[in-house]
């Protein structure tokens, strides 16, 4: 079945440093979504990428979808303490027509030292 | 507009007990799903539904049952709790197959 791998599993940064998490799928994806989960909270939707090579920005966050639609990345510029949390990618395979089998990566847990 | 509401927030069960985790949404979304979250393993899909009266298995369905008699409610039943079911459970709803997931606040379950 479809697998979505995310690296790194943990990342510790000093406030102001940049951060990147990478997501790789074993199969071609129709789209990819990114979620953020604060400690003790629930995942919250950030963004969805659909097109090959797509790049989207949300303030200090930059999201990319690979040309082959099998990988994606989230880059945070100049991290702040409010960025602390676990970032998940989630993808639907092109062959998954029901749309309900959204496969999540393992997540990257980000901690920011002030 | 509460979104997705899960109850209870915390639960402790003894091995062999059964219980139902409740999930209700007021967004009139067709798609609902249950995930469990364990450290280092992300969110794994247990069961899902694409509409009232329709349910299907996800990647880790063993030991769990679901039903979807209404659009609003999607309860998850643990038939005979086991320590391996200790986890945080999230219910989620979405409008369509490529729409964002809206998660509930989760239920933290411990089985002793």
């Amino acid at each position: 079945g479809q697998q979505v791998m995310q690296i790194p599993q943990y990342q510790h940064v000093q406030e102001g440093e940049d951060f990147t998490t990478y997501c790789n799928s074993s199969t071609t994806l129709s789209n990819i979504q990114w979620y953020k989960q604060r400690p003790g909270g629930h995942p919250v939707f950030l963004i969805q990428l659909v097109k090959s090579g797509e790049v989207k920005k949300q303030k200090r966050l930059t999201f990319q979808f690979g040309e082959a639609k099998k990988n994606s990345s989230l880059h945070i510029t100049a991290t702040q303490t409010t960025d602390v949390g676990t970032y998940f990618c989630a993808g639907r395979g092109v062959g998954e027509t029901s749309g309900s089998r959204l496969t999540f990566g393992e997540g990257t847990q980000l901690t920011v030292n002030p | 507009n509460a979104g997705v509401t899960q109850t209870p927030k915390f639960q402790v069960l003894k091995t062999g007990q059964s219980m139902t985790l409740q999930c209700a949404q007021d967004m009139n979304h067709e798609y609902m799903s249950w995930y469990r979250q364990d450290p280092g393993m992300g969110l794994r899909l247990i069961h899902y539904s694409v509409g009232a009266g329709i349910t299907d298995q996800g990647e880790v369905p063993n030991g769990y049952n679901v039903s979807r008699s209404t659009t609003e409610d999607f309860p998850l039943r643990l038939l005979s709790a086991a320590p391996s079911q200790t986890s945080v459970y999230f219910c989620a709803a979405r409008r369509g197959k490529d729409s964002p997931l809206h998660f509930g606040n989760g239920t933290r379950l411990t089985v002793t």
Side-chain angles (χ1 to χ4, degrees):
Chain A
Q2 179 186 341
Q3 289 186 314
V4 176
M5 292 145 287
Q6 208 174 333
I7 57 171
Q9 188 174 359
Y10 302 97
Q11 187 74 58
H12 310 283
V13 299
Q14 288 294 127
E15 190 171 21
E17 291 182 338
D18 292 355
F19 159 77
T20 305
T21 174
Y22 299 91
C23 184
N24 294 288
S25 171
S26 58
T27 60
T28 304
L29 300 171
S30 291
N31 56 67
I32 194 155
Q33 298 177 354
W34 284 91
Y35 292 81
K36 177 185 178 180
Q37 183 178 24
R38 294 184 186 273
H42 59 275
V44 175
F45 174 78
L46 293 176
I47 208 161
Q48 175 170 274
L49 305 172
V50 179
K51 299 176 183 176
S52 169
E54 188 170 15
V55 178
K56 286 188 176 181
K57 293 191 176 186
Q58 287 180 349
K59 296 183 181 178
R60 293 178 295 104
L61 278 61
T62 302
F63 303 84
Q64 290 187 307
F65 201 9
E67 293 292 338
K69 299 182 75 173
K70 295 181 74 172
N71 57 74
S72 181
S73 64
L74 158 59
H75 179 82
I76 302 179
T77 303
T79 54
Q80 300 175 358
T81 54
T82 53
D83 295 325
V84 164
T86 301
Y87 293 84
F88 292 97
C89 61
R92 177 173 73 83
V94 292
E96 184 44 64
T97 54
S98 78
S100 288
R101 286 183 171 264
L102 192 65
T103 303
F104 278 80
E106 303 93 340
T108 296
Q109 186 176 323
L110 173 66
T111 56
V112 180
N113 296 323
Chain B
N1 191 342
V4 179
T5 303
Q6 287 184 241
T7 56
K9 291 184 179 180
F10 301 93
Q11 183 70 50
V12 179
L13 292 178
K14 292 187 188 319
T15 297
Q17 287 184 317
S18 63
M19 80 158 293
T20 299
L21 278 61
Q22 302 292 344
C23 177
Q25 54 111 353
D26 61 1
M27 299 177 289
N28 202 33
H29 286 349
E30 290 296 325
Y31 289 68
M32 295 187 75
S33 47
W34 277 101
Y35 291 86
R36 60 176 288 172
Q37 184 175 30
D38 303 292
M41 300 188 75
L43 292 136
R44 292 184 292 168
L45 182 64
I46 305 171
H47 285 284
Y48 64 95
S49 169
V50 299
I54 307 169
T55 63
D56 207 343
Q57 296 181 349
E59 57 181 303
V60 288
N62 292 340
Y64 308 94
N65 273 356
V66 291
S67 60
R68 184 95 181 271
S69 55
T70 66
T71 298
E72 292 78 20
D73 299 301
F74 191 43
L76 178 72
R77 297 182 188 83
L78 279 69
L79 309 172
S80 178
S84 61
Q85 293 178 306
T86 293
S87 188
V88 180
Y89 292 85
F90 288 102
C91 178
R94 61 201 314 211
R95 181 180 296 110
K97 67 178 182 179
D98 288 324
S99 301
L101 285 164
H102 299 273
F103 285 88
N105 287 333
T107 295
R108 186 175 296 274
L109 175 69
T110 302
V111 183
T112 61

